[in-house]
Amino acid sequence: MVTGKVIKYGDNIDTDVIIPARYLNAPSPEELAKHCMEDIDIDFVNKVKPGDIMVGGANFGCGSSREHAPVAIQASGISCVIAASFARIFYRNAINIGFPILECPEAAEKIQNGDKVSVDFKTGVIADETTGESFQAAAFPEFITRIIDEGGLLKYLKERQAAKED
Amino acid sequence: MTTRMTMTQKILAAHAGMPSVKAGDLIEAKLDMVLGNDITSPVAIDVFDKAGFTKVFDKEKIALVLDHYTPCKDIKSAQLCAIVREFAKRFNIKHYYDVGTVGIEHALLPEKGIVGPGDCIIGADSHTCTYGALGAFSTGVGSTDMAAGMAMGENWFKVPSAIKVTLKGKLKPYVSGKDVILHLIGMIGVDGALYKSLEFTGEGVSELSMDDRFTIANMAIEAGAKNGIFPVDEKTLEYIKDRFQREPKIYEADQDAEYDSEVVIDLSELKPTVSMPHLPSNTKTVDEVKGLPINQVIIGSCTNGRISDMRAAAEVLKGRKVADDVKCIVIPATQKVYLQCVKEGLVEIFIESGCAVSTPTCGPCLGGHMGIMAEGERAVATTNRNFVGRMGHVKSEVILASPAVAAASAVAGTVASPQDL
């Protein structure tokens, strides 16, 4: 369960604007976070507070496969991303690093910039405390929940490899 | 009993060891190749090491290609390459390419025969979908997926549904694979194939060269697709002959395979097409936007840096000069393509016309180096993305085009097609 203020963007937020390629040689998540969203919202890094929630429209995270994109958003303090839909590589990357994302077209449309929103990851319920509306996000398939519960893909695989070798 | 599978689904079923799969199934499939570059591999290596893995699944089925910021543009980039170099040596990775042998990954792997028909491939680079041109299932992933692939030799996939793209007719002169894929993305949008396969079929396929097919499959991701895939035909088999190092496996979609939708494109009706800023789906014919002034032209990239692209550009540039206010940068995608350009006299044509010719690199396509734009500058580029700030300043613009249109634009100093010169 997280609660935070919403920072909202539109459709087709690509990974080049989430973290421009000129910063991909940065050595750490913290360095990446300093430039997160800079090409569409120069003020993002100043206004984002730990726990804030990013809301996007359709096809969020499209373009380059750079895992640096969800890493940069996570390191900036954003607690989760809600979008109408996600580009598939971004979706995989977020799950694989254990960063919560929720697909919910209705919430993505109705939640406004600056609203206070809480998200229950277990139930998928997104509550807009500013307007009193609530929304139901699509549940993760059980297979993906297992990956998240293990703490990411590599930990899940390591467990399985260890089990095989025993 | 009929299985009713698409070509993609058949390849995934075979690699999951299952008689059949259907759209939406979550499967674990064995991988024939796992790819990474100098941006994505260091992250994957860090994840691999931190998870405690001490061996790779198969040193012959991993490709590490240092192509994005190389020859290294700065110290930070050099540090990233050093990480990959150490890993490649530590595990004796067979397909490791560094400055001198390196080319742009998605031109290099098919050229070297490292990927081929029937393969199941992941790459930590979104344009890994390029190898669908060879009749492989090939898709882009992130660094953690790459690490998983290197450790285990398998990964999880959600079986995609598909859009059937039926091609008919034959391309007119100065119209290429790039115009086909830009036209398609303009029709269905940048999320038109989200989570899906784009399966190309129809009599028009046989009219397309392998280089055209690579260009088309390469940009499937720009429609949001998981993969783009072409049937294997005589041209495919001719291409892989004496290259592909394993036994090709040829899969065909079932006659009654289910598709979410079908798109028909008559190749003979297509005109030179461009994507205007700032989305690949923002397409116009060159006729609609010609005359727009430009400052830069890039001819190259994983989309259009192959020998037929170089020939198309040289044909237009021969005996002409790049306009005074335009910087034209030509980047053959691999060393083999570069050398071929030298042998055929194409490099001479480029230099005589006023182009800069560079060693292979992804450089300018992603705003890395070798052609970054200032505020207010506009490029026509044969690359694949025209997002905000993609090639430099946040207030610079990229227009996507074919090599012929890019070359003509370089000469005109404005957006132009070869017929306009």
Side-chain angles (χ1 to χ4, degrees):
Chain A
M1 183 92 173
V2 295
T3 303
K5 213 167 106 179
V6 165
I7 300 175
K8 187 171 179 176
Y9 300 106
D11 291 340
N12 302 315
I13 297 300
D14 62 77
T15 55
D16 272 275
V17 296
I18 294 171
I19 184 70
R22 58 187 177 276
Y23 303 120
L24 294 184
N25 54 10
S28 68
E30 293 69 30
E31 277 295 311
L32 292 171
K34 285 181 192 167
H35 304 287
C36 191
M37 312 307 287
E38 135 178 335
D39 280 0
I40 52 161
D41 183 5
I42 192 81
D43 198 35
F44 171 80
V45 291
N46 301 318
K47 68 188 177 196
V48 65
K49 301 271 184 305
D52 280 356
I53 291 167
M54 190 178 284
V55 175
N59 203 25
F60 188 94
C62 60
S64 159
S65 67
R66 60 191 69 161
E67 200 162 296
H68 311 67
V71 167
I73 295 174
Q74 187 177 39
S76 75
I78 291 285
S79 60
C80 75
V81 180
I82 300 165
S85 63
F86 289 94
R88 56 162 288 277
I89 302 177
F90 184 93
Y91 181 93
R92 284 185 80 103
N93 287 347
I95 288 164
N96 286 344
I97 65 168
F99 180 50
I101 54 171
L102 292 107
E103 202 164 89
C104 185
E106 202 188 357
E109 186 195 334
K110 292 196 173 159
I111 293 172
Q112 295 301 313
N113 196 36
D115 285 2
K116 191 179 167 196
V117 165
S118 66
V119 178
D120 187 332
F121 297 126
K122 283 211 171 73
T123 62
V125 172
I126 301 166
D128 188 331
E129 296 180 9
T130 305
T131 64
E133 277 191 286
S134 73
F135 312 93
Q136 180 67 54
F140 284 128
E142 193 248 330
F143 177 79
I144 288 174
T145 308
R146 275 207 323 265
I147 293 175
I148 294 171
D149 287 348
E150 290 282 356
L153 180 65
L154 270 279
K155 283 183 184 160
Y156 165 79
L157 292 175
K158 194 74 188 130
E159 287 290 315
R160 274 200 1 181
Q161 195 187 50
K164 268 187 198 169
E165 281 170 3
D166 277 351
Chain B
M1 197 191 104
T2 170
T3 52
R4 304 188 65 183
M5 285 191 283
T6 65
M7 188 173 170
T8 298
Q9 289 166 355
K10 281 195 175 171
I11 297 174
L12 286 172
H15 286 79
M18 298 164 78
S20 70
V21 296
K22 61 181 190 306
D25 288 353
L26 283 161
I27 58 159
E28 286 175 282
K30 294 212 177 306
L31 303 170
D32 297 302
M33 191 58 59
V34 179
L35 163 72
N37 58 50
D38 49 317
I39 291 178
T40 58
S41 302
V43 179
I45 290 164
D46 186 50
V47 169
F48 181 96
D49 286 341
K50 279 190 180 146
F53 287 103
T54 52
K55 53 181 187 252
V56 297
F57 85 106
D58 188 337
K59 67 184 170 67
E60 299 197 355
K61 291 185 176 176
I62 293 169
L64 300 172
V65 183
L66 306 183
D67 59 356
H68 274 58
Y69 287 161
T70 54
C72 289
K73 73 179 183 113
D74 56 19
I75 294 167
K76 286 178 180 174
S77 306
Q79 294 293 128
L80 293 181
C81 286
I83 292 168
V84 185
R85 203 170 286 129
E86 183 281 323
F87 185 88
K89 292 216 166 91
R90 195 194 326 162
F91 293 111
N92 197 20
I93 301 297
K94 183 178 175 190
H95 305 296
Y96 162 68
Y97 295 96
D98 206 337
V99 173
T101 57
V102 80
I104 297 175
E105 51 195 342
H106 308 309
L108 187 70
L109 265 56
E111 179 189 286
K112 295 271 185 196
I114 294 169
V115 290
D119 276 356
C120 178
I121 304 152
I122 62 168
D125 187 282
S126 61
H127 294 107
T128 301
C129 51
T130 309
Y131 318 135
L134 294 166
F137 170 78
S138 190
T139 191
V141 296
S143 295
T144 297
D145 274 321
M146 179 192 170
M150 290 196 299
M152 310 296 283
E154 58 183 38
N155 210 327
W156 65 275
F157 299 97
K158 189 172 166 186
V159 176
S161 61
I163 297 174
K164 184 179 188 177
V165 183
T166 302
L167 305 176
K168 59 180 194 177
K170 194 175 172 180
L171 293 171
K172 293 216 169 91
Y174 300 120
V175 183
S176 69
K178 185 60 164 287
D179 301 289
V180 178
I181 188 63
L182 294 184
H183 179 78
L184 176 62
I185 296 165
M187 285 173 80
I188 67 174
V190 288
D191 59 352
L194 194 58
Y195 301 117
K196 298 178 186 183
S197 306
L198 283 172
E199 297 215 343
F200 295 90
T201 183
E203 70 198 32
V205 168
S206 62
E207 298 291 339
L208 296 171
S209 69
M210 285 312 296
D211 283 1
D212 279 332
R213 297 181 203 183
F214 285 123
T215 302
I216 292 169
N218 172 273
M219 286 189 73
I221 177 71
E222 260 58 68
K226 184 169 205 149
N227 67 313
I229 195 163
F230 278 84
V232 176
D233 65 6
E234 284 172 13
K235 282 187 182 167
T236 324
L237 296 176
E238 179 61 30
Y239 180 87
I240 63 164
K241 199 177 148 205
D242 303 326
R243 284 181 208 265
F244 187 43
Q245 300 156 8
R246 287 170 282 121
E247 196 57 37
K249 293 195 185 69
I250 299 171
Y251 295 88
E252 288 177 352
D254 287 317
Q255 288 291 327
D256 55 353
E258 283 185 84
Y259 298 93
D260 286 350
S261 57
E262 182 178 358
V263 175
V264 180
I265 297 176
D266 184 344
L267 300 174
S268 66
E269 287 180 2
L270 297 184
K271 294 176 177 167
T273 300
V274 294
S275 293
M276 301 300 287
H278 288 284
L279 278 178
S281 57
N282 192 14
T283 51
K284 303 274 184 198
T285 63
V286 171
D287 291 338
E288 292 176 282
V289 292
K290 69 183 180 189
L292 191 65
I294 60 165
N295 313 91
Q296 177 161 303
V297 167
I298 301 288
I299 299 169
S301 84
C302 63
T303 312
N304 280 123
R306 299 178 184 81
I307 190 63
S308 55
D309 301 314
M310 297 295 121
R311 288 175 186 148
E315 186 190 330
V316 175
L317 289 164
K318 189 172 185 179
R320 295 190 169 110
K321 292 283 180 196
V322 172
D324 284 347
D325 296 330
V326 173
K327 309 171 282 287
C328 184
I329 301 161
V330 181
I331 311 176
T334 67
Q335 291 285 65
K336 188 174 179 185
V337 173
Y338 199 164
L339 194 54
Q340 189 69 22
C341 287
V342 172
K343 286 179 180 166
E344 292 183 17
L346 308 186
V347 168
E348 189 174 343
I349 292 171
F350 294 140
I351 293 175
E352 289 287 348
S353 68
C355 301
V357 184
S358 160
T359 192
T361 180
C362 304
C365 172
L366 75 159
H369 63 154
M370 286 301 296
I372 305 307
M373 287 193 287
E375 180 174 359
E377 288 192 320
R378 182 184 294 131
V380 170
T382 67
T383 56
N384 41 58
R385 292 192 174 124
N386 54 355
F387 300 149
V388 171
R390 172 79 177 178
M391 201 178 278
H393 195 280
V394 67
K395 287 182 181 163
S396 61
E397 294 184 346
V398 177
I399 296 170
L400 305 177
S402 70
V405 168
S409 302
V411 172
T414 62
V415 178
S417 77
Q419 282 116 327
D420 298 326
L421 299 178

